[in-house]
Amino acid sequence: MEIRQHEWLSASPHEGFEQMRLKSRPKEPSPSLTRVGANFYSSVKQQDYSASVWLRRKDKLEHSQQKCIVIFALVCCFAILVALIFSAVDIMGEDEDGLSEKNCQNKCRIALVENIPEGLNYSENAPFHLSLFQGWMNLLSMARKSVDIVSSHWDLNHSHPSACQGQRLFEKLLQLTSQNIEIKLVSDVTADSKMKELGVVFYNCSCLVLDLQRIFALYSSLKFKNRVPQTWSKRLYGVYDNEKKLQLQLNETKSQAFVSNSPKLFCPKNRSFDVDAIYSVIDDAKLYVYIAVTDYLPISSTSTKRTYWPDLDGKIREALVLRSVKVRLLISFWKETDPLTFNFISSLKAICTEIANCSLKVKFFDLERENVCATKEQKDHTFPKLNRNKYMVTDSAAYIGNFDWVGNDFTQNAGTGLVINQADVRNNRSIIKQLKDVFERDWYSPYARTVQPTKQPNCSSLLRLKPPTNKTATYGAHAKDPASV
C-alpha cells in the first residue's frame, strides 16, 4: 500500500499542488478564458475525484489491516489460552494406574499405630496398639510396584543407638529398590527417634489411596516450580472433600472419610482446607471434643510481629458457650512450650465463668520433666521425649493431622489431615472409640498434669505442677463418660 501511494503522489506533484492552490483562492473567470477555465475546472474536479477515491480506498485498506491485526491477536490469545488449559487440565478419564472412583476398593481395614518411647509405662488395662515401626514394615512388605512417602522429617540412617528401628526401615527401603520397586519421597530434613506419636494404617483401601496419591502428586509437582501455580492440573483435584465424603466400611463399620490439606494455596478444586476440616468435626460434635496436640498457640508470627489467629481458638469458644460441648485439651509440656500458651488457656477457662454447662479442662502431658532445665551438654547427648500426637476425637468423628494448633503451622506449612465419621462409636471395632480410649489413657496417666504459671520466670520455679487426680479409669468400660467429670 505504501508503494502505490508513492507512485500516485509522484505522478504529477506540481499539478496537484496548483489545483489545490487555485481551489483555495477561486476567481471569477474572464469571458475570453471561459472555455479554458471550464477545461481547467473539469481537470481539477477529475483530479479531486481521483484523490478522494484513493483516500477512501486507503481508509478501507487501513481499516481492513486493523481488523486483520485484531483477528490475529485474538487467534494468538485463543491459542495461548488453549495451551494453558491443556497444560493445566488432563484428558478426561485418565486415572492413576487405571484406578478410578468407579473401580476402587472401599471395604477397608484400619488400625491405630503408636510410637511409645522406652520407659513410658501405663496401667495394665490401658489400650495397646501396633507400633508405628511395625505398621511401616507391614506396608512396605505389601509393596509391589511403588512406595510414595511424605514426611516432615526424615533421618533413618542416624548413628544414635536408639535409631535401630529407623535403620531397619532404611534397609527395607533399600531392599525394595533392589526389587525394582520405585521409592518416591517428599520430605524435610531431619527427625528425632524418641517421640510419642500416633497414626493410622489403612489396608486395601484404594479409594482413599487414590485421593492421597493426588496430594503426593501435588507436592511432587511443586519441586519443579518457583511459585505456586494459579491453575492446578485436573488430576490434582480432590476426589473427596467435606461436601462429598467417601462412603466406606472400616473394620465392618459404616463410615465416611476424606483427606484435607494445608496451606490453603495447596487446595485445588474439591480439596478441603485443614482448618475447614477441623471446623466440620467440631460442628458435628454433640457431647464432647477431645484434643491432643504438642502445642496450642493461636498466634501467627512473622519476623516483625505476632498477631492473634482466632480460627481454632474461636471455634472452641463457640462450642463451649453456644452449644455446651465439653472440651478437653491435652497439650505437651516441653522446653519449647511458649509461655503465652498459659495465657490463652487461662482465657479459655475464664470464658466458662458463671456459664451453666460450660466445661473446659486442660492438662499438660510431660514425659521428661527432669530434662526441661537440663544443661546444653546434657541435651546434646539425648533426644527429648515428647508427646507429638496431633488429633481430635468427638462423639461422632475423628481428625488426625500433621499440625499443632498454632497459626503458622496451618498458614505456612504443608500437611495433610484425615477426617473419619462413624455413626456407631460404641463397638470395639470403631476407630472413633479406639481413639477416644487412647485419649483417656493419656488423660488419666501420671504424665498428664494440671499446670499453673507462677510469677517467677526462672527455670526451677516457672511452673507449679499439681499431682494427677486419684481417679482411675477402666479403659473401654467407663460407667460414666469422663467428659461429664
Side-chain angles (χ1 to χ4, degrees):
M1 300 300 294
E2 291 180 354
I3 294 176
R4 288 187 60 191
Q5 182 179 10
H6 177 70
E7 289 175 347
W8 183 88
L9 288 174
S10 63
S12 54
H14 297 292
E15 181 185 28
F17 176 76
E18 288 298 324
Q19 289 170 359
M20 296 300 292
R21 183 174 63 82
L22 289 172
K23 281 187 65 179
S24 63
R25 293 186 295 169
K27 294 182 180 180
E28 291 292 333
S30 62
S32 61
L33 294 177
T34 301
R35 186 176 181 84
V36 176
N39 292 336
F40 185 75
Y41 184 76
S42 175
S43 174
V44 170
K45 294 296 283 184
Q46 290 173 1
Q47 293 293 338
D48 239 333
Y49 176 77
S50 299
S52 63
V53 169
W54 186 88
L55 288 173
R56 283 198 296 270
R57 287 179 179 175
K58 180 173 180 284
D59 289 341
K60 289 181 179 180
L61 290 170
E62 287 180 346
H63 183 64
S64 299
Q65 280 185 322
Q66 291 174 356
K67 288 175 65 177
C68 289
I69 292 172
V70 171
I71 293 173
F72 179 74
L74 289 174
V75 171
C76 290
C77 290
F78 179 75
I80 294 172
L81 180 62
V82 170
L84 288 173
I85 291 174
F86 277 95
S87 67
V89 180
D90 292 293
I91 299 173
M92 293 290 290
E94 185 180 358
D95 293 300
E96 295 82 352
D97 296 327
L99 190 64
S100 69
E101 298 175 63
K102 296 181 180 179
N103 64 12
C104 63
Q105 175 64 258
N106 64 354
K107 292 184 179 179
C108 322
R109 185 164 62 90
I110 185 174
L112 285 179
V113 289
E114 285 192 281
N115 188 43
I116 305 296
E118 294 181 4
L120 188 61
N121 300 312
Y122 289 108
S123 61
E124 293 182 358
N125 61 342
F128 177 80
H129 297 284
L130 190 70
S131 70
L132 185 60
F133 166 75
Q134 193 58 53
W136 269 88
M137 295 298 285
N138 290 350
L139 287 179
L140 294 178
S141 298
M142 296 171 63
R144 295 294 178 266
K145 183 178 180 180
S146 65
V147 176
D148 297 348
I149 302 170
V150 178
S151 174
S152 58
H153 303 288
W154 196 255
D155 187 17
L156 295 182
N157 203 25
H158 202 283
S159 59
H160 194 275
S162 65
C164 58
Q165 290 184 344
Q167 291 169 0
R168 288 177 61 187
L169 283 175
F170 182 70
E171 292 169 359
K172 181 64 176 179
L173 290 171
L174 290 178
Q175 177 186 343
L176 293 180
T177 57
S178 67
Q179 299 171 359
N180 294 324
I181 295 177
E182 184 180 18
I183 308 295
K184 293 180 287 185
L185 171 66
V186 177
S187 177
D188 218 325
V189 187
T190 59
D192 295 327
S193 304
K194 294 183 72 176
M195 303 294 185
K196 179 179 177 294
E197 297 179 297
L198 177 140
V200 290
V201 177
F202 286 88
Y203 300 96
N204 302 320
C205 203
S206 55
C207 289
L208 197 61
V209 169
L210 173 65
D211 215 8
L212 286 170
Q213 279 184 333
R214 296 195 175 188
I215 292 180
F216 182 88
L218 184 148
Y219 292 158
S220 297
S221 69
L222 291 174
K223 66 183 179 182
F224 301 110
K225 297 178 173 63
N226 55 12
R227 60 182 176 180
V228 178
Q230 294 182 349
T231 304
W232 294 100
S233 166
K234 180 181 179 295
R235 291 189 65 185
L236 301 181
Y237 288 1
V239 183
Y240 309 101
D241 61 6
N242 187 35
E243 301 298 326
K244 180 191 173 185
K245 300 177 182 178
L246 169 63
Q247 308 294 323
L248 73 167
Q249 294 283 329
L250 291 178
N251 300 347
E252 300 179 353
T253 301
K254 187 177 180 180
S255 310
Q256 296 177 321
F258 68 94
V259 289
S260 55
N261 204 21
S262 287
K264 207 161 191 177
L265 282 174
F266 287 7
C267 293
K269 185 178 179 181
N270 301 332
R271 177 70 65 211
S272 295
F273 178 39
D274 257 336
V275 172
D276 294 332
I278 293 174
Y279 279 5
S280 70
V281 173
I282 297 179
D283 287 340
D284 288 343
K286 301 295 188 295
L287 301 175
Y288 61 87
V289 174
Y290 294 163
I291 302 166
V293 288
T294 306
D295 293 309
Y296 182 87
L297 189 66
I299 280 182
S300 182
S301 303
T302 65
S303 58
T304 58
K305 65 177 181 178
R306 306 176 95 184
T307 56
Y308 175 54
W309 188 70
D311 293 38
L312 301 183
D313 192 64
K315 180 59 69 172
I316 291 176
R317 294 171 189 267
E318 177 185 304
L320 285 168
V321 177
L322 302 183
R323 301 188 3 248
S324 299
V325 175
K326 297 176 175 63
V327 177
R328 301 290 179 266
L329 267 172
L330 185 60
I331 305 169
S332 294
F333 178 69
W334 62 309
K335 60 184 179 64
E336 298 294 334
T337 299
D338 194 302
L340 275 178
T341 300
F342 307 109
N343 296 66
F344 283 108
I345 295 306
S346 298
S347 176
L348 276 174
K349 287 182 176 180
I351 202 173
C352 283
T353 304
E354 298 183 1
I355 297 180
N357 300 320
C358 184
S359 175
L360 171 71
K361 292 186 181 295
V362 181
K363 287 186 178 182
F364 287 82
F365 201 84
D366 183 10
L367 284 179
E368 202 172 14
R369 183 185 177 193
E370 65 275 10
N371 284 344
V372 172
C373 300
T375 64
K376 183 178 184 303
E377 289 75 16
Q378 291 172 325
K379 294 176 183 177
D380 289 341
H381 287 82
T382 183
F383 288 117
K385 290 181 180 179
L386 177 64
N387 185 20
R388 291 188 60 189
N389 290 351
K390 298 170 178 60
Y391 68 88
M392 169 177 56
V393 60
T394 73
D395 48 273
S396 62
Y399 167 85
I400 301 175
N402 291 136
F403 298 140
D404 293 311
W405 286 24
V406 179
N408 286 46
D409 280 20
F410 290 94
T411 58
Q412 299 180 13
N413 297 331
T416 303
L418 169 69
V419 173
I420 300 174
N421 294 82
Q422 291 181 321
D424 182 9
V425 298
R426 295 185 179 182
N427 70 77
N428 292 328
R429 292 175 298 183
S430 167
I431 197 68
I432 306 295
K433 183 182 184 302
Q434 293 177 29
L435 196 58
K436 177 188 174 185
D437 290 344
V438 168
F439 182 91
E440 291 171 345
R441 176 200 68 191
D442 291 344
W443 181 266
Y444 291 108
S445 73
Y447 306 102
R449 301 167 179 251
T450 302
V451 179
Q452 293 180 344
T454 65
K455 295 181 180 180
Q456 298 180 2
N458 61 75
C459 190
S460 60
S461 58
L462 173 64
L463 304 169
R464 182 172 71 256
L465 280 78
K466 289 185 177 181
T469 60
N470 293 326
K471 181 179 178 64
T472 57
T474 304
Y475 301 99
H478 291 284
K480 188 176 183 181
D481 194 329
S484 61
V485 176

